[in-house]
Amino acid sequence: MESARFDFVIGIGGAAGQGIATPGNILARTFVRRGLHLCAYNAHQSIIRGGHILLALRVAEHEIHSHGDNLDLLLCLNQDTMNRHLRHMRPGTWVLFNSDDIVPGDAAEGVHMCPMPVKALTNDSRNKVIQNTVALGAIVSILGLDFATLEAALQRELGRKGKEVVEENVQAARGGFDHAQAHFPSLDRPVPTGAKPLAVWSGNEALAMGGAAAGVRFYCAYPMSPSTGILHWMAANARDLGIMVRQAEDELAVANMTIGAAHAGCRAMCATSGGGFALMTEAIGMAGMMEVPVVFINVQRAGPSTGVPTKTEQGDLWQALGASQGDYERFIVAPKNALDAFNTIPELFNLVDKCQCPGILLSDLLISEGTFSVDPDAINMFPPIDRGELITQPRSADGANGADTNGYLRYQDTETGISPRALPGLEGYVYVAATDEHDEDGVLISDEFTNPHKRRKMVEKRARKLQHVAKEVPPPALEGPADAEVTLVGWGSTYGVIKEAIDQLKERGVTANHLPIKWIIPFHSEEVSAILNKAKRVIVVENNYSGQFARYLRSETGFAAHGHIRKYDGEPFMPHHIVEGVLAQLAGETTRFVPEHEFIV
Amino acid sequence: MAVPTKSEAGRREGTVIQLTAKDFKGKVNPDWCPGCGDFGVLNSVQRAVAELGLRPHEILTVSGIGCSSNFPGFFNAYGMHTLHGRALAVATGAKLANHELTVIVTGGDGDGYGIGGNHFMHAARRNIDLTYIVMNNQIYGLTTGQLSPTSREGMKTKSSPFGSVELPINPLLISIMAGATFVARGFSGDGKHLVELIKQAIQHRGFAHIDVFSPCVTFNHDNTYPFFRERVKRLEDEGHDPSDWKAACEKAMVWGDTIYTGLFFRSEGRATLEEKEPVLAQGGPLAYRPLGLSQEQAQKLLQRMM
């Protein structure tokens, strides 16, 4: 915590199963209720018990956009954490540990080593996770917060486990609090209070809630990290919200069921991660051919194949661009953070409904499994809903037999390319939707001897509707001074970390601006070209090895970036990585900077 | 979106005209090979839905890929001609979105028991109210004659010139074991019987599976009309009790000089997926419900985040 503003990062390290989430949640809720801003990232392994986890929980009085660069306080729940992370602690920081079990390492001078004799403080409690509660008491004391706040938080978090559990924990927390008051140095100034209480959510919760606000009535998934949080939220809220939630047998079923539900009229959505998305791609093309509005979420993780299931990457851009065979219309969007993810879902549903095509949303583990504060007033639970050209009223079937379709053309070749859509079940509009190429009436032309005219007409009709609707998507805008020395281009989740890196660069005397890209399709080639052609030095920042976005940018604009900052070790960027990359490139050392991830390992 | 549901407006006021099988004739004539068993199935479905008094807009047919999967194009109703093997998954989504639709899934043995085998098992397990009609010709027809999952061991095809070394699967046993509540077998050459089976299947609440012998006259020279005519015996004539699960399994295993058709197994006791789904109990079809959150729902969600 170096700046004048309150900005503090708590690291909690231990093994899976040691109960890291509970103290993390209690601290997070305590801070956001106080009106402080929060950004947390949980670095973990694909192990249910054991392994190593480091939860970095950053809290500040001002808006923050990443989990930061350093730790100010480290809570070691096991020896492993002490061994791994003590070297990261700078003078003036705190290291808490259970002195019954953990042997402290050699700390840098000025690090406050804070041993907690947990057994003595808890009357020999045999509760294995009681050290976490003792530590919570100590942390609250070090931060100069009052104990009543923590007591209330424990009550809230543990209340459902019964009075006895709450009492045991309150006592343990009190033990930690009093011990810290007597033995540990505390923060040299009070923790501020924000303007108003904030809320807290994860990116996956934001995506799920965005679906609920958009009117999703059918959600289907196969569990796959890091997208599973969306399924959990949907399942927990399904009955209250009237959402049909299904866990299907595989991602093929997920994608096809979702399209079936969407075709029958529901706003329908599904989510998965890399490998699951690969399985879904044939169906996405089906939605393109049948003109079904439907939303697919791919929460990217480190690939290829099974890859690193609990690590982050922006490696599926070309998979999304190439999802399914053939040319077809789709939207692809990569929101920049959790709130943007929430807002993007209803926006995307409106677009796909108007365009009658699939939409793909690219999130990643950084956004989806991250925990963030959010201003509750910034969450618009009632976004506008536009279902496009939907026929909702039945009409009398003509003819004596009542079976006619009145000449309804499901795939009518209109000027905009958009053909008014009737839902199955409606009288007077009977048609067949086919994945084979078809004519305006849905009848297959794939089996005709040769009909280049009809095929071309239908390809152009579908293309036209995207062009028509794409106009509604806003182009990206440059953030920061137009004449900056460096223009940083990022897409999706790198938004926050680039934003913070730019502030740090300013402190180092480098002016930089930021062109964040959210919409991949439609891509605003002209606007982006205009901005980049005026820029002095363009550096593309992305969390993958090959520069997937840089390649896409070049394919769409002809613009070859001057430099690149890339990371592909499974962990997200920290702001200082980007600062170092920019400085190295300004010094002419490299045009492709790959930071060393020294921290969370 | 105020869309009237079937119960509200779908059945319009006025004279209800009894439709005939002809009214369910699609926009195009089937392009199946002359003599294909699938003609018999198509005719039987058309007769069955007409006799049940259904109207085209109340029906959704869903198919995958293959000769038999062209069915929706030849049938006058809402239809979806989807991807190879995925018809049951698509149909499940559509049925859950609008459970007032009568959803009939059609396809072949390769589509349903091969590439779509996993969905077949799970659709049966869910007991979703679908009617699944498989035109089983024991061969891959549209790709010009290769092995299918139901081809007999030793069968010589273009992909097994020295004879298949794999056992055929028994689709009836699979669906009975997986939990289907209506399992039957028909023969395309016995239309009258097939119409009755289809009518019962559509009326059955739950997953109804009908495997239909539908000879491929072009590529399968083993399982021909005469082959089946010599062997097929109706279970009804044997006094089989379809509520007897064990007897159903035993009859499904019979393959030789006698091959049974008819209703093997029917269980009326199990609730369907739709009946068990609390969200559907809240009202009409999901597809027609208003979108967006209520003030109360939104407040509750926000409060939980604080």
Side-chain angles (χ1 to χ4, degrees):
Chain A
M1 202 185 103
E2 280 154 9
S3 69
R5 293 184 295 183
F6 177 76
D7 189 344
F8 198 86
V9 186
I10 297 169
I12 305 177
Q18 277 198 300
I20 290 171
T22 306
N25 288 342
I26 289 176
L27 286 171
R29 297 245 174 190
T30 305
F31 292 133
V32 298
R33 275 165 182 258
R34 206 180 168 87
L36 297 172
H37 297 268
L38 180 102
C39 232
Y41 180 74
N42 192 18
H44 62 116
Q45 291 175 238
S46 188
I47 291 175
I48 307 300
R49 296 257 177 254
H52 181 59
I53 297 181
L54 183 72
L55 173 69
L57 201 135
R58 182 180 173 205
V59 55
E61 63 182 309
H62 52 282
E63 232 182 287
I64 47 174
H65 307 278
S66 82
H67 55 285
D69 287 311
N70 299 295
L71 298 181
D72 295 295
L73 184 151
L74 174 67
L75 167 60
C76 302
L77 297 179
N78 61 7
Q79 188 68 47
D80 188 29
T81 306
M82 177 70 79
N83 299 346
R84 284 169 189 260
H85 299 296
L86 184 61
R87 67 195 162 92
H88 297 127
M89 303 310 288
R90 299 154 304 142
T93 62
W94 289 258
V95 177
L96 273 68
F97 58 99
N98 179 352
S99 53
D100 299 336
D101 295 336
I102 298 171
V103 183
D106 291 329
E109 212 179 308
V111 172
H112 310 306
M113 295 302 282
C114 306
M116 303 178 296
V118 170
K119 275 184 196 153
L121 292 173
T122 61
N123 301 322
D124 256 343
S125 168
R126 264 177 272 169
N127 180 346
K128 278 183 190 161
V129 293
I130 204 77
Q131 64 168 346
N132 305 10
T133 311
V134 173
L136 272 177
I139 293 169
V140 164
S141 163
I142 288 167
L143 291 173
L145 301 170
D146 62 68
F147 186 73
T149 313
L150 178 58
E151 196 175 338
L154 287 168
Q155 184 75 52
R156 272 199 312 275
E157 190 77 18
L158 305 171
R160 65 193 152 83
K161 293 189 179 175
K163 210 176 151 191
E164 221 170 285
V165 175
V166 173
E167 264 170 30
E168 187 194 13
N169 278 278
V170 169
Q171 273 179 23
R174 171 60 80 177
F177 186 86
D178 292 343
H179 180 76
Q181 292 269 304
H183 299 97
F184 306 154
S186 54
L187 202 62
D188 54 4
R189 58 198 149 133
V191 174
T193 304
K196 62 173 175 182
L198 298 178
V200 64
W201 61 5
S202 70
N204 274 340
E205 286 166 346
L207 285 162
M209 210 181 288
V216 165
R217 286 272 163 268
F218 187 88
Y219 180 82
C220 190
Y222 184 86
M224 188 164 183
S225 287
S227 65
T228 313
I230 305 174
L231 171 63
H232 290 173
W233 192 97
M234 285 293 192
N237 291 285
R239 289 189 191 195
D240 282 353
L241 303 179
I243 300 172
M244 165 83 70
V245 177
R246 300 248 58 90
Q247 179 182 326
E249 57 269 28
D250 53 35
E251 279 92 351
L252 306 169
V254 168
N256 285 280
M257 277 187 196
T258 308
I259 291 169
H263 181 78
C266 280
R267 277 202 160 172
M269 178 168 98
C270 59
T272 185
S273 182
F277 186 77
L279 289 175
M280 290 181 175
T281 55
E282 190 191 21
I284 299 174
M286 168 168 86
M289 184 55 120
M290 288 169 115
E291 306 196 30
V292 178
V294 56
V295 168
F296 296 85
I297 298 173
N298 177 2
V299 181
Q300 300 166 94
R301 69 189 208 188
S305 192
T306 311
V308 200
T310 59
K311 296 296 169 191
T312 198
E313 201 162 275
Q314 295 181 301
D316 296 352
L317 176 59
W318 283 88
Q319 171 72 2
L321 287 164
S324 206
Q325 66 275 25
D327 284 335
Y328 69 101
E329 291 55 46
R330 87 209 78 171
F331 289 93
I332 302 179
V333 63
K336 61 187 183 184
N337 56 34
L339 181 60
D340 194 32
F342 171 88
N343 289 325
T344 301
I345 295 282
E347 197 181 347
L348 186 57
F349 265 107
N350 287 348
L351 289 168
V352 299
D353 259 341
K354 282 187 238 178
C355 194
Q356 301 176 19
C357 74
I360 299 168
L361 185 144
L362 292 172
S363 179
D364 56 24
L365 185 141
L366 174 62
I367 290 180
S368 278
E369 288 197 346
T371 305
F372 312 93
S373 59
V374 58
D375 178 353
D377 296 333
I379 304 174
N380 179 10
M381 290 294 215
F382 310 102
I385 287 171
D386 184 344
R387 299 225 60 190
E389 295 192 39
L390 198 61
I391 301 167
T392 59
Q393 294 303 314
R395 60 182 179 183
S396 263
D398 63 2
N401 59 20
D404 212 320
T405 63
N406 285 331
Y408 170 61
L409 298 177
R410 166 65 188 97
Y411 301 106
Q412 194 179 1
D413 185 25
T414 61
E415 204 180 320
T416 59
I418 297 163
S419 322
R421 180 165 83 108
L423 303 180
L426 207 60
E427 189 175 1
Y429 293 93
V430 167
Y431 68 92
V432 176
T435 55
D436 277 59
E437 185 62 278
H438 43 256
D439 205 346
E440 290 175 85
D441 55 5
V443 169
L444 310 194
I445 62 167
S446 52
D447 294 340
E448 292 185 26
F449 165 59
T450 176
N451 203 324
H453 167 72
K454 282 186 188 171
R455 159 69 179 169
R456 183 175 151 180
K457 181 176 76 176
M458 295 313 285
V459 170
E460 289 173 354
K461 177 201 105 70
R462 290 190 295 263
R464 215 157 52 238
K465 62 183 184 166
L466 185 85
Q467 289 157 18
H468 182 74
V469 176
K471 286 180 268 181
E472 296 176 24
V473 176
L478 198 61
E479 295 184 8
D483 60 346
E485 250 173 290
V486 175
T487 295
L488 293 169
V489 181
W491 63 284
S493 67
T494 54
Y495 176 81
V497 77
I498 293 176
K499 195 175 169 71
E500 294 202 349
I502 285 173
D503 290 341
Q504 291 186 15
L505 281 165
K506 201 171 164 190
E507 288 166 19
R508 310 280 283 263
V510 176
T511 58
N513 57 25
H514 183 186
L515 184 66
I517 307 286
K518 172 177 171 176
W519 289 96
I520 306 294
I521 295 178
F523 191 77
H524 297 79
S525 306
E526 281 177 30
E527 292 89 341
V528 170
S529 293
I531 292 169
L532 296 184
N533 285 323
K534 274 188 231 151
K536 290 179 185 150
R537 183 195 287 260
V538 174
I539 297 175
V540 178
V541 180
E542 53 188 315
N543 211 324
N544 63 55
Y545 173 80
S546 64
Q548 294 194 0
F549 183 76
R551 269 194 289 153
Y552 179 60
L553 178 68
R554 197 162 65 176
S555 77
E556 293 299 300
T557 62
F559 187 90
H562 307 106
H564 308 272
I565 301 176
R566 293 181 195 161
K567 201 162 182 299
Y568 40 86
D569 50 27
E571 298 298 350
F573 282 108
M574 294 166 111
H576 74 275
H577 294 138
I578 293 167
V579 171
E580 285 155 21
V582 170
L583 295 178
Q585 299 200 26
L586 287 176
E589 289 165 18
T590 179
T591 55
R592 184 181 176 278
F593 182 82
V594 180
E596 197 65 49
H597 197 99
E598 73 291 354
F599 206 86
I600 301 168
V601 275
Chain B
M1 183 182 66
V3 179
T5 66
K6 183 168 83 177
S7 38
E8 289 160 13
R11 290 184 186 281
R12 304 180 67 86
E13 297 295 318
T15 345
V16 176
I17 301 156
Q18 177 64 50
L19 303 185
T20 66
K22 257 185 2 199
D23 297 316
F24 291 92
K25 204 174 157 308
K27 283 190 184 124
V28 286
N29 291 323
D31 51 8
W32 291 317
C33 304
C36 174
D38 295 352
F39 283 102
V41 181
L42 176 64
N43 294 340
S44 299
V45 178
Q46 286 166 336
R47 274 173 54 195
V49 293
E51 286 176 23
L52 288 174
L54 288 162
R55 291 156 62 89
H57 71 273
E58 297 170 344
I59 302 169
L60 175 68
T61 58
V62 185
S63 69
I65 297 296
C67 293
S68 52
S69 287
N70 285 331
F71 184 101
F74 312 141
F75 189 82
N76 182 37
Y78 279 101
M80 296 177 83
H81 185 180
T82 71
L83 298 168
H84 201 21
R86 310 290 157 235
L88 280 170
V90 175
T92 298
K95 178 73 183 181
L96 292 173
N98 184 352
H99 62 287
E100 288 189 349
L101 288 169
T102 295
V103 182
I104 301 170
V105 187
T106 61
D109 42 316
D111 185 65
Y113 306 148
I115 187 167
N118 199 29
H119 305 310
F120 172 49
M121 190 167 73
H122 289 279
R125 173 175 79 87
R126 293 188 178 104
N127 198 33
I128 180 164
D129 186 18
L130 300 175
T131 300
Y132 185 33
I133 302 170
V134 180
M135 289 159 251
N136 183 355
N137 58 12
Q138 289 110 324
I139 198 131
Y140 277 25
L142 199 59
T143 51
T144 70
Q146 301 84 14
L147 280 182
S148 107
T150 49
S151 298
R152 69 165 175 83
E153 194 179 7
M155 186 162 167
K156 289 186 178 176
T157 70
K158 284 180 185 166
S159 61
S160 60
F162 309 108
S164 168
V165 294
E166 293 165 12
L167 279 178
I169 63 156
N170 185 324
L172 300 186
L173 276 182
I174 289 175
S175 61
I176 293 172
M177 295 290 168
T181 49
F182 183 105
V183 180
R185 184 191 272 148
F187 172 40
S188 166
D190 187 357
K192 205 174 157 196
H193 181 233
L194 186 55
V195 170
E196 286 313 309
L197 287 177
I198 293 168
K199 278 166 69 179
Q200 287 177 56
I202 292 172
Q203 285 178 310
H204 174 76
R205 281 176 28 255
F207 187 73
H209 168 219
I210 311 178
D211 184 74
V212 185
F213 293 133
S214 179
C216 174
V217 293
T218 307
F219 295 111
N220 190 337
H221 305 299
D222 285 20
N223 309 107
T224 57
Y225 285 102
F227 172 89
F228 288 115
R229 282 211 179 92
E230 281 165 23
R231 293 166 172 80
V232 158
K233 286 194 177 64
R234 295 181 183 180
L235 281 172
E236 291 83 338
D237 301 338
E238 307 264 315
H240 171 67
D241 172 11
S243 69
D244 185 338
W245 186 85
K246 206 175 155 198
C249 294
E250 280 165 6
K251 292 283 193 293
M253 281 190 274
V254 174
W255 189 278
D257 292 340
T258 295
I259 299 172
Y260 290 110
T261 57
L263 178 58
F264 285 70
F265 179 67
R266 178 167 56 200
S267 162
E268 302 279 14
R270 245 181 92 206
T272 66
L273 181 67
E274 305 91 293
E275 287 163 350
K276 284 195 268 187
E277 174 57 58
V279 170
L280 289 185
Q282 293 166 5
L286 278 182
Y288 298 154
R289 295 190 192 173
L291 300 188
L293 299 167
S294 69
Q295 283 287 350
E296 195 192 340
Q297 287 169 330
Q299 277 312 315
K300 209 169 146 188
L301 292 177
L302 284 171
Q303 267 159 20
R304 231 181 293 157
M305 294 166 61
M306 301 291 284

